[in-house]
Amino acid sequence: MEEKKYIHRHLETVIKEAVQYFPVISLTGPRQSGKTTLLKHLFPKFKQYSMKDLHIRAFAENDPVAFLNQYPDGMFIDEVQKAPALLEYIQGIVDNDPKRRFLLTGSSNLEVLQRMTESLPGRAGVYELLPVSLGELQTIKQLPVNQQLYEGLYPAVCADKNVAHLFYPSYVKTYLEKDVRDLLRIKDQLQFLKFMKLCAARIGSLFNVSEVAVEVGTSPHTITHWLSILQASYLITLLPPYYENISKRVVKTPKLYFNDPGLACYLLDIESPRQLEFDKMRGAIFENMIVMECIKHRTNNGKEGNVFFYRDSNKNEVDILLKEDGVLTAIEVKSSMTYQTSYDKTLRKLDQWTSSPIARKAVVYAGEFENTVGDVWVLNYKHIDCLWK
């Protein structure tokens, strides 16, 4: 029964290739994104140890050589950031025996990557696993758009092992009590939760640090630090503006998006798909989902960055610019189920504002009418992967 509910992830292909060349595979990403499940599925013979288990962690820290040499082929270490000293010992082992393999997971971008850079340069393939993509989800089920936004794309909810109205409150509570406590040692969790909610209210907007600081009642420096923690724990993404080879002055402030629309709905106190249908943030949450699909496309292929937005001083704006192989894909996002010809107005002018070649332009929306002929494609959001196939 469990195997039937397993959601095959696009990143599997990249990891299966990488393990042939790297003695260490490190998989990072948010809590509950499916890191452990994916690695157990790909490498069922590897013995798994979790550093969340205090007894196992004590063994690993007190006698790391004995711990790491239990199995001649290698092992799978979950939440390795809780026992970072192991990385230096792993380096010594794989240097002496390149055939050994270690699988590592971690939920904190900053901690894991910093240690990897210091201890395992050139020895580790480091990849990110974000929540399920729409393409991955469609292998097991399809949902109406409002229900999809409300339920989000964490594997537990997608595979019907949990439900959104129970999953997200628990997720945030665990995050505040564990990750925030460990990374920030914040005493006032309610203040940090208020900060998270204010971030959710700014989805798809230019993020003004000073403005948020006033609303939270703290300093801009603190807000900047908290923002970096939300990024490091994979809850938010700051989308940079596109500025390369353009003829007009552009803004430099990033836009903020959450890595999952269901989490954003919870923080915005949206309690049902029906409520979302009439909520003023529906358009922003829909845009959030599409931006993250573009980012997942990159991370699921083992690539970083190169997803932007365009906005210049005349307020000309394009929601998403995806740069691959030196060319751009330009995407305008609309949450409407009815297509209107005005949706592609900005896309048709984009060539005037950038010297970079534009391979494709598309309007991605919630309606059923589609057109892949002409200068601007029209796509239902479930078929966004047509843009990079």
Side-chain angles (χ1 to χ4, degrees):
M1 181 66 179
E2 291 298 315
E3 181 63 19
K4 291 181 180 180
K5 285 294 183 180
Y6 177 76
I7 303 171
H8 285 277
R9 312 301 297 271
H10 294 156
L11 188 60
E12 291 173 18
T13 302
V14 174
I15 292 177
K16 284 189 286 189
E17 179 184 12
V19 77
Q20 300 176 50
Y21 303 100
F22 292 107
V24 180
I25 297 295
S26 175
L27 189 56
T28 65
R31 289 182 179 277
Q32 300 292 317
S33 64
K35 301 182 294 296
T36 301
T37 302
L38 185 153
L39 290 179
K40 287 175 67 176
H41 177 81
L42 290 182
F43 307 99
K45 295 182 180 179
F46 273 53
K47 179 66 176 179
Q48 177 194 354
Y49 289 98
S50 174
M51 292 301 105
K52 290 189 290 186
D53 187 311
L54 295 179
H55 297 290
I56 293 174
R57 193 195 313 174
F59 174 26
E61 292 176 333
N62 292 332
D63 195 348
V65 174
F67 174 74
L68 294 171
N69 281 290
Q70 294 179 86
Y71 302 95
D73 295 328
M75 59 200 306
F76 173 12
I77 304 174
D78 221 355
E79 299 294 340
V80 71
Q81 79 273 6
K82 295 184 179 296
L86 289 177
L87 297 176
E88 295 180 9
Y89 290 94
I90 290 173
Q91 175 188 340
I93 291 173
V94 298
D95 283 350
N96 291 324
D97 184 0
K99 293 184 179 180
R100 293 282 295 275
R101 290 293 182 268
F102 289 91
L103 311 174
L104 311 176
T105 70
S107 301
S108 174
N109 191 11
L110 286 180
E111 287 183 288
V112 175
L113 290 184
Q114 183 177 354
R115 291 284 184 170
M116 286 289 171
T117 302
E118 295 171 352
S119 303
L120 296 167
R123 301 169 180 85
V126 182
Y127 303 97
E128 295 180 3
L129 184 68
L130 296 173
V132 176
S133 72
L134 290 172
E136 291 166 343
L137 178 62
Q138 289 180 61
T139 63
I140 62 168
K141 68 179 179 182
Q142 296 190 30
L143 300 172
V145 59
N146 290 331
Q147 187 176 351
Q148 182 65 79
L149 295 173
Y150 172 74
E151 291 193 3
L153 289 149
Y154 276 93
V157 179
C158 291
D160 300 322
K161 296 175 182 177
N162 207 329
V163 289
H165 72 273
L166 298 178
F167 176 82
Y168 290 106
S170 175
Y171 191 94
V172 171
K173 187 174 187 292
T174 301
Y175 174 71
L176 290 172
E177 291 181 350
K178 293 185 178 180
D179 291 15
V180 172
R181 182 193 63 196
D182 293 343
L183 295 172
L184 288 175
R185 293 176 173 81
I186 290 178
K187 294 181 180 179
D188 189 351
Q189 292 185 356
L190 289 178
Q191 187 183 40
F192 191 83
L193 179 59
K194 179 181 180 181
F195 163 67
M196 291 175 65
K197 287 177 173 288
L198 288 171
C199 286
R202 286 164 170 75
I203 286 173
S205 301
L206 301 178
F207 192 81
N208 187 315
V209 171
S210 298
E211 182 182 275
V212 175
V214 171
E215 292 191 49
V216 175
T218 189
S219 69
H221 174 77
T222 297
I223 294 299
T224 300
H225 183 48
W226 288 1
L227 204 61
S228 71
I229 297 302
L230 288 181
Q231 285 181 279
S233 46
Y234 294 97
L235 289 199
I236 67 162
T237 289
L238 293 179
L239 191 70
Y242 182 76
Y243 58 87
E244 182 183 13
N245 297 324
I246 60 170
S247 58
K248 292 180 180 286
R249 180 171 61 88
V250 299
V251 298
K252 297 180 180 179
T253 307
K255 287 185 175 184
L256 182 145
Y257 295 94
F258 273 74
N259 283 359
D260 185 75
L263 177 59
C265 284
Y266 170 70
L267 291 170
L268 290 166
D269 299 321
I270 295 171
E271 298 182 339
S272 69
R274 177 67 175 171
Q275 179 186 345
L276 178 62
E277 183 175 353
F278 300 100
D279 196 278
K280 64 179 182 180
M281 289 296 294
R282 181 181 179 274
I285 296 170
F286 182 83
E287 179 183 320
N288 192 131
M289 181 172 68
I290 302 306
V291 167
M292 290 310 305
E293 284 303 298
C294 294
I295 292 172
K296 289 172 188 176
H297 160 64
R298 295 285 296 173
T299 59
N300 287 341
N301 283 282
K303 299 176 181 179
E304 299 178 355
N306 276 12
V307 183
F308 311 91
F309 73 93
Y310 176 87
R311 183 174 181 176
D312 63 28
S313 57
N314 294 324
K315 297 184 179 180
N316 296 306
E317 187 166 351
V318 175
D319 293 325
I320 305 169
L321 292 181
L322 174 65
K323 189 170 187 178
E324 296 189 290
D325 299 323
V327 298
L328 298 173
T329 296
I331 303 170
E332 193 68 18
V333 182
K334 301 295 181 182
S335 63
S336 172
M337 297 185 70
T338 305
Y339 178 74
Q340 300 181 28
T341 55
S342 60
Y343 288 168
D344 63 19
K345 181 180 179 181
T346 308
L347 289 173
R348 294 188 181 280
K349 295 180 179 179
L350 184 60
D351 301 86
Q352 303 171 24
W353 307 322
T354 176
S355 58
S356 295
I358 303 173
R360 192 164 292 157
K361 302 174 183 177
V363 174
V364 174
Y365 78 129
E368 297 301 320
F369 167 76
E370 293 186 303
N371 179 22
T372 56
V373 177
D375 294 336
V376 180
W377 287 15
V378 179
L379 291 173
N380 176 270
Y381 71 98
K382 293 178 181 177
H383 302 147
I384 188 174
D385 55 0
C386 291
L387 294 175
W388 42 75
K389 281 186 176 179

